[in-house]
Amino acid sequence: MMPYLFKIGNFELRIYSLMIITGLLICIFMAGRKMVKMGYKKEYLENMIIVVFIAALIGARIYYVIFQWEFYKDTPLEIFAVWHGGLAIHGGIIMGFIAALIYSHYLKIKVMFFGDLIAPWLILGQGLGRLGNFANGEAHGVPVITPPEIIFRLKPVFTDFWTSVLYTFNLNSMPENVSKLNEIAKNGAEVTFQGKVYELKEYVPWGISFTDKHMPAAYRDFGTLAVHPTFFYEMILNFTAAAIMYYFWRNSKNISTGLIFGIYLISYGLIRGFVTMFRADDLMLGFIRAPHAASLAFICIGIFLVVRAMKLKDNI
């Protein structure tokens, strides 16, 4: 897959950027139209989105750098090299919400008004962004020859398991060598890990492989091995959540109660918590995945907001 639609000299129209811009435009159009119907100026929303978007980018980068500090402390200039990759969605959501809180206080409008207003379109945009990840060959999953028992563990062991796989078959981590596992797995291969024998085979038929063209992260990590298309897993689930939130969003009485934003936090917490099990490149917080810790916090806050919104509705 090509990461850009076209290239003229040093200029590239990257698919990832196009998806992000498309998501922003959809949000501005749909939420802006709803805001006008509710008697507010559309400019409030447009300014809010600009402020939140910038803050979210900064937050996503800070979050990523914090969890990769062992690398960045020795290469401080790389902290600013966002074009080399390294954005974490949880950090973007946290910093974006803080910016929205400050800006809504300035406008003297409830922050949950904006949260409910943009929530369906926010998660829709996140789904579109995963198409960009596919185009870049990044945010990918582990190879589909990985046994489910290795994937579905709260404490990640894939890195150690993969080291055992390469050692067993006398392969180094170079993509050309890792690609040899395609034939090895077809002939029936077994690996002993933590005292248990695991079979390497194609556990699901929908894996996606990448070539060395454009040298995407998926190829650098696993050569031409088919990997779990985690970008599509999350995209489908995000679009489904967006449809559910849209159902509540159509009723203007739900706007500003926190109900829709609460559903967003619960939905994305569950989605990211599930998808991260398949991811090969997640950040770590001690012995657990950082997205699991953040997702748990999102779910708890989301439940609080939904329960609070339902109580407010009962009191009306």
Side-chain angles (χ1 to χ4, degrees), residues 27-46:
C27 182
I28 290 172
F29 176 76
M30 296 298 294
R33 189 169 63 172
K34 168 74 82 172
M35 196 167 185
V36 171
K37 286 183 178 179
M38 295 181 69
Y40 292 89
K41 294 181 179 180
K42 186 179 179 181
E43 289 77 12
Y44 290 165
L45 175 71
E46 293 171 346

Side-chain angles (χ1 to χ4, degrees), residues 197-269:
V197 177
Y198 294 92
E199 183 181 5
L200 300 182
K201 65 178 183 179
E202 185 183 69
Y203 284 93
V204 297
W206 54 77
I208 294 179
S209 60
F210 292 84
T211 67
D212 59 352
K213 187 176 182 181
H214 305 297
M215 292 299 291
Y219 176 79
R220 297 196 304 270
D221 289 344
F222 302 116
T224 57
L225 288 179
V227 298
H228 280 277
T230 46
F231 28 74
F232 288 151
Y233 294 171
E234 187 169 329
M235 180 191 73
I236 293 170
L237 292 171
N238 283 349
F239 287 168
T240 302
I244 294 171
M245 281 182 268
Y246 177 70
Y247 171 80
F248 295 97
W249 184 87
R250 290 184 304 171
N251 186 346
S252 297
K253 292 182 179 179
N254 290 322
I255 306 297
S256 82
T257 65
L259 173 66
I260 304 171
F261 190 69
I263 294 173
Y264 165 81
L265 290 176
I266 295 170
S267 299
Y268 191 67

Side-chain angles (χ1 to χ4, degrees), residues 68 138-143 146 151 156 158-159 162 217-218 221-222 227-228 230 272 275-284 289:
Q68 295 285 10
E138 62 187 5
H140 54 283
V142 300
T146 307
I151 293 173
F158 172 76
T159 300
W162 196 245
D221 289 344
F222 302 116
V227 298
H228 280 277
T230 46
R272 193 65 173 86
V275 173
T276 199
M277 303 294 286
F278 297 89
R279 286 280 291 269
D281 60 345
D282 261 330
L283 303 175
M284 299 297 297
R289 298 174 176 91

Side-chain angles (χ1 to χ4, degrees), residues 3 15-17 19 127-138:
I15 295 175
Y16 185 83
S17 300
M19 291 299 100
L128 291 173
R130 292 312 182 194
L131 282 175
N133 292 141
F134 166 57
N136 289 340
E138 62 187 5

Side-chain angles (χ1 to χ4, degrees), residues 12-262:
E12 298 176 347
L13 179 57
R14 299 189 71 87
I15 295 175
Y16 185 83
S17 300
L18 182 61
M19 291 299 100
I20 296 298
I21 293 171
T22 300
L24 282 173
L25 292 177
I26 292 174
C27 182
I28 290 172
F29 176 76
M30 296 298 294
R33 189 169 63 172
K34 168 74 82 172
M35 196 167 185
V36 171
K37 286 183 178 179
M38 295 181 69
Y40 292 89
K41 294 181 179 180
K42 186 179 179 181
E43 289 77 12
Y44 290 165
L45 175 71
E46 293 171 346
N47 293 336
M48 169 70 80
I49 288 177
I50 292 172
V51 170
V52 169
F53 181 69
I54 294 173
L57 287 178
I58 295 173
R61 185 59 173 176
I62 292 174
Y63 187 98
Y64 184 85
V65 169
I66 289 174
F67 285 98
Q68 295 285 10
W69 184 244
E70 285 301 311
F71 169 74
Y72 288 105
K73 70 178 182 180
D74 298 322
T75 56
L77 292 179
E78 280 293 313
I79 293 175
F80 306 99
V82 293
W83 52 90
H84 291 163
L87 297 175
I89 185 64
H90 286 100
I93 294 171
I94 294 169
M95 188 65 81
F97 180 75
I98 292 173
L101 190 64
I102 295 171
Y103 191 71
S104 61
H105 179 73
Y106 169 76
L107 292 177
K108 293 181 173 56
I109 299 175
K110 290 182 179 179
V111 68
M112 281 305 144
F113 172 81
F114 288 106
D116 289 336
L117 194 67
I118 69 173
W121 317 114
L122 174 59
I123 202 164
L124 178 71
Q126 289 172 222
L128 291 173
R130 292 312 182 194
L131 282 175
N133 292 141
F134 166 57
N136 289 340
E138 62 187 5
H140 54 283
V142 300
V144 297
I145 62 172
T146 307
E149 303 97 298
I150 298 297
I151 293 173
F152 295 110
R153 292 197 189 185
L154 186 60
K155 180 180 179 180
V157 296
F158 172 76
T159 300
D160 294 334
F161 172 77
W162 196 245
T163 299
S164 296
V165 171
L166 298 180
Y167 178 79
T168 299
F169 299 104
N170 196 28
L171 301 172
N172 61 38
S173 59
M174 296 299 291
E176 299 82 2
N177 283 289
V178 176
S179 297
K180 295 177 182 178
L181 284 168
N182 281 311
E183 290 302 318
I184 293 174
K186 286 180 182 178
N187 295 325
E190 294 180 339
V191 174
T192 301
F193 177 67
Q194 295 182 344
K196 185 176 179 180
V197 177
Y198 294 92
E199 183 181 5
L200 300 182
K201 65 178 183 179
E202 185 183 69
Y203 284 93
V204 297
W206 54 77
I208 294 179
S209 60
F210 292 84
T211 67
D212 59 352
K213 187 176 182 181
H214 305 297
M215 292 299 291
Y219 176 79
R220 297 196 304 270
D221 289 344
F222 302 116
T224 57
L225 288 179
V227 298
H228 280 277
T230 46
F231 28 74
F232 288 151
Y233 294 171
E234 187 169 329
M235 180 191 73
I236 293 170
L237 292 171
N238 283 349
F239 287 168
T240 302
I244 294 171
M245 281 182 268
Y246 177 70
Y247 171 80
F248 295 97
W249 184 87
R250 290 184 304 171
N251 186 346
S252 297
K253 292 182 179 179
N254 290 322
I255 306 297
S256 82
T257 65
L259 173 66
I260 304 171
F261 190 69

